[in-house]
Amino acid sequence: MIHLVGCGTRPTGDLPDFAASLRGDGWVPYIVPSPVGLRFLDVARAEEKSQHAVHWDFVPDAPEELPQADVVVVAPATFNTITKLAAGAADTLALAVAAEAIGARRPVVIVPWANSSLTSHPVYAGAVHSLQQWGVHVLAADQAEPFPWVALRERLMQIRNAFGAGADSA
């Protein structure tokens, strides 16, 4: 079981295809966009490709409950999400999913997607460093290049091989 958290930036629109590729690798993907990430996502397509409801808010009586994941991916991860997560914020479902996984010591992979002005902000380097010290895998990305979906998929295969997590989990 894998949660795919997408934040408020263009690559979040690619999560449905990424979810489909992970399904082909034996993962059971759930897409969890941030509230702003929801604006970049075609929900119907995401549900078709992942074969699960998209979860983006705390809904007590949701028709399909969001199960606990073996692995959480935050990709793309915006400056706001990275700094809030490092500060311990869990005020959205997307942040709560990642924060709980960190607290439970489950594998978390973050792919930062922010411009150079934001990544040069004084709080950013400290936030990334804190996340890494907590065991979060931070996969480098450059906005001048295409989003690194292939490298992310390879990292997830490494994590599955190392931890035995995610494949065929239901």
Side-chain angles (χ1 to χ4, degrees), residues 9-155:
T9 186
R10 195 228 34 95
T12 293
D14 298 332
L15 279 176
D17 289 334
F18 187 64
S21 72
L22 292 180
R23 284 182 49 71
D25 292 340
W27 293 91
V28 178
Y30 284 79
I31 297 176
V32 185
S34 70
V36 178
L38 188 63
R39 299 177 192 167
F40 293 84
L41 187 67
D42 178 337
V43 173
R45 189 164 182 271
E47 291 179 342
E48 173 192 338
K49 296 284 189 170
S50 70
Q51 297 187 352
H52 296 285
V54 169
H55 297 268
W56 65 274
D57 200 1
F58 300 102
V59 180
D61 298 322
E64 180 185 349
E65 188 175 315
L66 183 63
Q68 182 176 337
D70 300 305
V71 178
V72 173
V73 171
V74 185
T78 59
F79 169 88
N80 195 39
T81 295
I82 291 168
T83 57
K84 286 176 80 172
L85 188 58
D91 59 347
T92 67
L93 182 60
L95 281 169
V97 161
E100 286 181 7
I102 291 169
R105 308 288 190 256
R106 289 191 303 274
V108 176
V109 180
I110 293 178
V111 184
W113 197 250
N115 65 43
S116 61
S117 295
L118 289 174
T119 60
S120 297
H121 189 282
V123 76
Y124 182 79
V128 170
H129 180 72
S130 291
L131 293 168
Q132 289 173 319
Q133 285 201 312
W134 300 337
V136 173
H137 305 261
V138 179
L139 185 63
D142 181 350
Q143 283 191 330
E145 302 290 328
F147 194 82
W149 295 114
V150 171
L152 176 55
R153 191 171 171 194
E154 290 170 358
R155 176 65 59 92

